[in-house]
Amino acid sequence: TPGTGGGDEPTPDPDPDPDPSDDAPTLSGQYLDEPLVFSASTGGEFPTVEITMNVPKGIASVWVKVDSDNTKFETATDYFGLCAEPDGANLVGNSNLGGMFALPTVNATEYKFSLGAELANMLVDFTGTHNFIVKVVDSTGAKASDTLTITITE
């Protein structure tokens, strides 16, 4: 008979799946929250710049794209594919960038993207604001991205 409920009500799952966002990739690092401003003339030691990526489901790809107001810096980084649309260069297995910093590996659950001394020394020669858009994609296609902004003044 209509309206009696007749057993059409769903039964609750006794063992629900955990919140999928618990396994989503994340990015963290001091200069994701505040831009780094460095004076090329007063100099000193360039600070350590590191972005930690936690990827519980394993890394599929890590992309870095450069967007700068200094065309000479963009030209220099474009040689490595870092200005390519839409996402720049994938660091996983990238032989062009392997000598500059440690590269991520497929299925790793953590990766630290670091601007080492060689990159920092190159960067200080280019005044302007340089944005490094960093995106990590895990094995399920889940993504996290953020922007590292470094401004070099004279």
Side-chain angles (χ1 to χ4, degrees):
T1 9
T4 60
D8 291 338
E9 303 219 2
T11 55
D13 185 349
D15 190 19
D17 290 332
D19 182 353
S21 64
D22 291 345
D23 288 338
T26 60
L27 303 176
S28 60
Q30 175 183 358
Y31 297 110
L32 294 176
D33 298 327
E34 58 187 70
L36 167 60
V37 178
F38 185 81
S39 170
S41 59
T42 57
E45 191 168 322
F46 197 84
T48 299
V49 177
E50 190 170 80
I51 299 172
T52 300
M53 301 175 197
N54 288 304
V55 191
K57 300 255 182 186
I59 291 172
S61 58
V62 175
W63 297 88
V64 176
K65 181 173 186 344
V66 170
D67 179 26
S68 175
D69 62 7
N70 183 314
T71 55
K72 289 181 181 175
F73 182 69
E74 280 196 337
T75 299
T77 57
D78 195 37
Y79 172 79
F80 299 103
L82 293 168
C83 296
E85 293 295 339
D87 296 318
N90 183 359
L91 302 187
V92 174
N94 190 319
S95 58
N96 289 335
L97 294 168
M100 294 193 174
F101 44 82
L103 296 175
T105 56
V106 170
N107 294 324
T109 56
E110 183 178 274
Y111 170 62
K112 291 182 190 245
F113 172 75
S114 180
L115 289 181
E118 183 180 337
L119 284 175
N121 289 334
M122 181 181 98
L123 188 59
V124 298
D125 291 335
F126 298 97
T127 58
T129 299
H130 316 296
N131 294 304
F132 296 82
I133 301 114
V134 179
K135 177 172 79 170
V136 60
V137 181
D138 75 10
S139 62
T140 69
K143 302 172 183 130
S145 65
D146 211 331
T147 302
L148 165 67
T149 300
I150 299 175
T151 300
I152 306 296
T153 61
E154 291 185 19

